[in-house]
Amino acid sequence: MRWASRTQFFASGFIFATWGVHIPTVKAHYGVTEAELGLAMLAAGFGALLGLTQASRWIGRHGARGAAGLSGTVYALLLAGLVAMPGYAALLTLLAAFGVVTSVFDVAINTEAAELELRNGQPLMSGMHGMFSLGGMAGAVTGSAALAAGLAPSSHLLVVAIVMACAIPLSAQWMLPRDATAFAAAGDGFRLPRGALVILGVLAALGLIAEGAIYDWSVLYLKQELGSPQQQAALAYASFSAAMAAARFSGDAMRARFEPAVLLRGSAFLAAASMTLVLLTDAPWQALVGLAGVGVGFANVVPILFAASARVPGVEPARGIAAVSAAAYLGFMAGPPVIGFLAEISSLTAALYLVVVFAVALAASARWAGPT
């Protein structure tokens, strides 16, 4: 069952990385500006918000296994349409649908991971999110290789869509049965976090706004701001994801050794310093090194905060994680369009300094992660 869940996280990261690699492709294909590209990402964000209002109800009805299998398959198939739409308006519609299924899939697999962690009585969440990052690295490297080999973007997207649309429902068959995960959301609509969960949700949102900005804009940053060819620029995503995966796979041991506030503060300062290096250098290879540092810094932010949400007094652990996950996911979807609009009125380099600001804010607020 753990490997079924790990496969889902890997597939989610692979699909998301494939989208990230082809953001410059989408920009060029539809002839849009940074602001229009940001609006397209915002359409995905609104779709995600709609999905979040229904995700817990659907998971309650069908279980994480059923919800992940269906939403993940649709998520994969929509990837093939990214450069096949007849125009910009159609792209907005596709990305809105993309956001709906992405959010449902994300909540479903995190609900499954939370239940597995509770059943096993040991940290598992960092490792699960490590599989997302590993999938992101694999997707970015594969995308870079496909571009270097001259494979048409539409062909690459179609191949990835077909493979992932087969892998997701197949692996979902080995996830926990419906009744095991339905309790976490059964009969509930979307619930905003309350009390201490509000603070944890805001911190998780800050972390994922910054993380989402790297996922969606780092490739374009290397290509547009540093003049890298796209196949080299695609390595920005790979560098970030590979370092994040490595840090997440060691994250459960780190969480057992250090107090959450100490680990969160050190991680956030590392992310801020590394992102500053990325934005100050003119050398692509130094930017890739810096992005790896950003990946290490942000790697365990979400696992730390999810674990803290499971310890809030008077709140069932799975419900605490679900509430903070929802707030974090909203941040993840909101970050890229915010960066796009700031880039339009200033520059992409200036806009990405928001990542530094949010990392410093996380470090300053680390005490809210609580003691071990």
Side-chain angles (χ1 to χ4, degrees), residues 205-216:
L206 287 178
L208 283 188
I209 287 172
E211 185 178 330
I214 300 298
Y215 279 130
D216 279 357

Side-chain angles (χ1 to χ4, degrees), residues 135-371:
M137 179 190 68
V141 170
T142 302
S144 177
L147 290 167
L151 184 65
S154 58
S155 298
H156 176 233
L157 290 167
L158 180 61
V159 169
V160 173
I162 292 172
V163 172
M164 291 296 125
C166 292
I168 289 172
L170 181 62
S171 59
Q173 299 305 308
W174 281 271
M175 291 172 67
L176 292 170
R178 186 186 72 82
D179 291 344
T181 50
F183 81 93
D188 292 340
F190 178 62
R191 290 184 177 181
L192 290 172
R194 298 180 181 179
L197 292 176
V198 173
I199 298 172
L200 294 173
V202 169
L203 294 180
L206 287 178
L208 283 188
I209 287 172
E211 185 178 330
I214 300 298
Y215 279 130
D216 279 357
W217 291 102
S218 61
V219 175
L220 186 63
Y221 176 78
L222 257 71
K223 183 176 186 292
Q224 181 173 289
E225 305 293 292
L226 300 186
S228 301
Q230 189 170 347
Q231 62 267 29
Q232 182 187 49
L235 296 177
Y237 198 116
S239 176
F240 177 76
S241 295
M244 178 170 276
R248 280 178 167 169
F249 284 129
S250 62
D252 291 323
M254 296 285 284
R255 286 169 54 205
R257 182 175 180 181
F258 296 102
E259 290 191 357
V262 173
L263 184 56
L264 181 59
R265 185 176 296 111
S267 296
F269 275 133
L270 174 60
S274 298
M275 192 64 196
T276 302
L277 169 64
V278 171
L279 297 173
L280 290 179
T281 186
D282 293 326
W285 71 267
Q286 289 182 343
L288 291 174
V289 172
L291 285 168
V294 178
V296 173
F298 282 126
N300 289 299
V301 168
V302 168
I304 290 169
L305 295 173
F306 277 13
S309 69
R311 298 192 301 267
V312 174
V315 179
E316 186 178 88
R319 291 189 183 278
I321 291 172
V324 172
S325 176
Y329 197 80
L330 288 175
F332 191 69
M333 298 306 295
V338 169
I339 296 294
F341 287 118
L342 290 176
E344 183 69 15
I345 63 176
S346 55
S347 69
L348 184 54
T349 300
L352 285 172
Y353 271 103
L354 195 64
V355 174
V356 178
V357 172
F358 285 171
V360 172
L362 276 169
S365 307
R367 66 186 180 88
W368 291 101

